[in-house]
Amino acid sequence: MAMSGTYVAEVPLKGSAEKHYKRWRNEYYLFQDAIGHHIQGCTMHDGDWDSHGSIRSWNITCDGKPEVLKEKREIDDKNMALTLRGLEGHAMEKYKKYEVIYQFIPKSKEGCVCKITLIWEKLNENSPEPINYMKFVKS
């Protein structure tokens, strides 16, 4: 079993890449209202909702279990990408590195894809690969 890896998925979306990127970049806090079965709450620790380097904790449900993930957010407007770097929480009890990159890529006037990249490194050999977290971020 690998000690580190990268998972990549592309999720097709209706609407422009710019529209979706703007929503993820500036209106991220609305997700708990839209997908409450996955995200139950969020606490801002440092920065603003739409600022580079902001730090927040998410209360999520992954595989039917409540979890917390504290993350730092990095913004790349040029590539319409957001990187979430795990700092603390349940995932960080298993992984040395946990990063999720959401990049919005235009495909047509009517649609785009969200390329999701999960980069991970286990803390030890007993840690499972983060397949459940990839399912979560895709949903």
Side-chain angles (χ1 to χ4, degrees):
M1 203 182 272
M3 286 294 291
S4 63
T6 301
Y7 297 147
V8 179
E10 289 191 356
V11 178
L13 301 170
K14 293 180 181 179
S16 72
E18 292 81 7
K19 176 186 95 171
H20 286 286
Y21 176 66
K22 179 183 175 238
R23 184 168 293 143
W24 277 72
R25 187 191 190 289
N26 301 327
E27 300 169 3
Y28 209 55
Y29 58 91
L30 296 174
F31 288 173
Q32 61 195 12
D33 294 332
I35 52 174
H37 57 290
H38 291 299
I39 300 174
Q40 288 74 52
C42 186
T43 303
M44 181 64 64
H45 297 285
D46 188 33
D48 297 317
W49 283 104
D50 59 353
S51 65
H52 180 83
S54 61
I55 296 174
R56 66 199 88 205
S57 293
W58 294 94
N59 297 319
I60 63 171
T61 300
C62 187
D63 278 347
K65 296 178 218 141
E67 294 194 15
V68 174
L69 178 65
K70 187 174 186 180
E71 49 96 18
K72 181 177 184 176
R73 183 173 174 212
E74 297 178 7
I75 298 170
D76 178 356
D77 287 333
K78 180 180 176 190
N79 293 305
M80 288 194 289
L82 299 167
T83 300
L84 311 177
R85 297 189 192 283
L87 300 175
E88 296 175 9
H90 291 84
M92 302 315 294
E93 293 170 1
K94 302 173 205 155
Y95 307 104
K96 239 188 272 192
K97 182 176 193 172
Y98 178 87
E99 295 179 11
V100 181
I101 303 166
Y102 296 94
Q103 182 180 18
F104 297 89
I105 303 166
K107 289 293 182 182
S108 69
K109 285 185 178 181
E110 296 83 32
C112 64
V113 296
C114 178
K115 180 180 176 185
I116 303 169
T117 305
L118 172 58
I119 304 166
W120 53 274
E121 182 180 352
K122 295 180 184 182
L123 275 176
N124 59 55
E125 291 180 1
N126 297 324
S127 297
E129 289 190 15
I131 296 167
N132 60 332
Y133 289 109
M134 187 62 180
K135 287 179 187 175
F136 173 82
V137 297
K138 280 175 49 180
S139 66

